[in-house]
Amino acid sequence: MRKVIIIGGGPAGLSAGIFLSRDKIPTLIIEKFSCGGNMLLTENIENYPGFPDGISGFELSENMKKQFIKFGGKIKNGEVEKIKLEDDKKIVKLKNGEEFITDVIIIASGSSRKKLNVKGEKEFTGKGVSYCAICDGAFFKEKEVAVVGGGDSAIEEAIYLSNFANLVYLIHRRDRLRAKKYLQKEAQNNEKIKFILPYIVKEIKGKEKVEYLILQNMSNHNITELKIDGVFISAGQVPNTEFLNGILKTDEKGFIIVNERMETNIKGIYACGDVIKKLLYQIITACSEGMIAAYFAEKYIENL
Ligand code: NAP
């Protein structure tokens, strides 16, 4: 029995956990992989306050985790299968069969990379198709790679990959990039990054591993081939909400709808971070939402 169970140990979940455990509320974070969430996929975080020289995603994750544990917070490795509601109690069931009863759940399960859903993508995942430049970039030393997407993540990944690869193609479906202007400038000034706009990937091809992409020009619909050694897919995020089985209100893309107190449509269930529908997806906003969820969860517990 824990007063609060937090699903997900990214910046939102850890911030909520730090707040609650500092206030002596027994709090358990259930995390599928390692604490840090998408922060772990970022080499250097430059827009989180307090670190004038930037901080690695790994180090910031470790610091937040240490702070949570220091105040008595507990972390359990496991994947949530479902949430069951019984009167005022909530039960969190893990895939290994374990169950935890709690008064309050804070969902901070974040988001994962969206798939392109093109032929060859699944087949070559781990054989040249990657969703994480930080994890796999070093395998492509002096090779030629492509990044698909035009948002902040795609541009950051292209810049990161240029540290290893000889050439990085940035393939985006429109003429205009979505990424922040300063990132666009940095990529445009990088001699190793070549923009391929407006193109989509139709197919990923190869024998044992990825060898080339079939691309389609979005203006004239012409098809071309692009020889590459690897492709990094950075085409946005999908919320990690499979375990909810439709019990919470979401938008059409599956992002959880919350009010300004981070309350969902079920009393005692809060949500925060990249899993919610909102306007800004940043580490600092995730932390702030985690703190808000914790604050109102604490008020809810006081009134039980
Ligand atoms: P994003 O901003 O949603 O960008 C996704 C990109 O992928 C868009 O350019 C989109 O094209 C493209 N795309 C989507 N579906 C596609 C498909 N099926 N085929 C080809 N291209 C496709 O996602 P993100 O870059 O992962 O960023 C997520 C959030 O985190 C954003 O709010 C971002 O600002 C934030 N973030 C911030 C930082 C930072 O502050 N340094 C770093 C990383 C992420 P269209 O443009 O045509 O829609």
Side-chain angles (χ1 to χ4, degrees), residues 103-118:
D103 290 320
V104 170
I105 297 175
I106 297 178
I107 298 170
S109 47
S111 62
S112 305
R113 280 283 159 89
K114 189 172 128 181
K115 306 269 186 297
L116 288 180
N117 289 322
V118 295

Side-chain angles (χ1 to χ4, degrees), residues 81-93:
E81 184 180 81
K82 66 170 154 181
I83 292 172
K84 295 191 276 182
L85 304 172
E86 280 177 18
D87 304 321
D88 270 354
K89 295 286 173 221
K90 292 153 188 82
I91 299 163
V92 178
K93 183 170 187 236

Side-chain angles (χ1 to χ4, degrees), residues 47 114 150 152-153 156 173-174 178 180 235 281-282:
N47 56 2
K114 189 172 128 181
D152 289 337
S153 303
E156 280 187 352
R173 63 184 177 184
R174 292 184 295 134
R178 182 180 289 274
K180 292 186 191 81
Y281 292 84
Q282 296 278 316

Side-chain angles (χ1 to χ4, degrees), residues 82-289:
K82 66 170 154 181
I83 292 172
K84 295 191 276 182
L85 304 172
E86 280 177 18
D87 304 321
D88 270 354
K89 295 286 173 221
K90 292 153 188 82
I91 299 163
V92 178
K93 183 170 187 236
L94 304 194
K95 285 203 167 154
N96 68 3
E98 273 181 277
E99 291 192 338
F100 296 88
I101 305 169
T102 186
D103 290 320
V104 170
I105 297 175
I106 297 178
I107 298 170
S109 47
S111 62
S112 305
R113 280 283 159 89
K114 189 172 128 181
K115 306 269 186 297
L116 288 180
N117 289 322
V118 295
K119 209 167 157 209
E121 183 179 14
K122 201 169 171 195
E123 181 187 347
F124 291 115
T125 295
K127 296 174 188 163
V129 173
S130 171
Y131 298 88
C132 176
I134 294 276
C135 323
D136 300 328
F139 296 124
F140 295 89
K141 214 164 177 256
E142 290 166 18
K143 306 263 187 213
E144 297 191 358
V145 296
V147 175
V148 183
D152 289 337
S153 303
I155 304 299
E156 280 187 352
E157 296 212 330
I159 295 167
Y160 177 74
L161 288 165
S162 71
N163 294 317
F164 306 97
N166 281 341
L167 193 55
V168 181
Y169 297 104
L170 193 291
I171 302 166
H172 178 44
R173 63 184 177 184
R174 292 184 295 134
D175 276 324
R176 284 172 71 101
L177 298 169
R178 182 180 289 274
K180 292 186 191 81
K181 283 278 175 291
Y182 87 92
L183 282 173
Q184 293 190 29
K185 274 224 169 80
E186 199 177 326
Q188 277 150 3
N189 291 336
N190 186 322
E191 284 182 353
K192 285 189 176 179
I193 301 177
K194 299 269 173 280
F195 289 84
I196 302 191
L197 320 172
Y199 278 86
I200 55 161
V201 175
K202 292 287 282 181
E203 195 175 339
I204 301 168
K205 295 191 90 162
K207 286 197 185 96
E208 302 289 300
K209 57 176 199 56
V210 172
E211 289 169 19
Y212 60 102
L213 301 176
I214 307 286
L215 302 180
Q216 182 169 37
N217 184 306
M218 294 301 279
S219 305
N220 57 24
H221 303 290
N222 286 348
I223 301 280
T224 47
E225 282 183 10
L226 180 72
K227 213 180 141 308
I228 39 120
D229 301 293
V231 55
F232 290 81
I233 304 195
S234 193
Q237 302 288 129
V238 285
N240 297 325
T241 50
E242 319 74 48
F243 58 89
L244 289 178
N245 291 317
I247 62 167
L248 295 183
K249 269 197 196 142
T250 65
D251 71 359
E252 67 291 348
K253 292 181 181 159
F255 289 93
I256 301 171
I257 293 170
V258 292
N259 62 17
E260 71 269 273
R261 296 171 176 216
M262 303 298 137
E263 291 164 337
T264 67
N265 58 303
I266 295 181
K267 270 204 163 71
I269 302 188
Y270 298 77
C272 50
D274 283 4
V275 76
I276 64 168
K277 177 181 165 59
K278 57 176 178 166
L279 294 174
L280 261 184
Y281 292 84
Q282 296 278 316
I283 297 168
I284 189 165
T285 54
C287 293
S288 149
E289 293 146 12

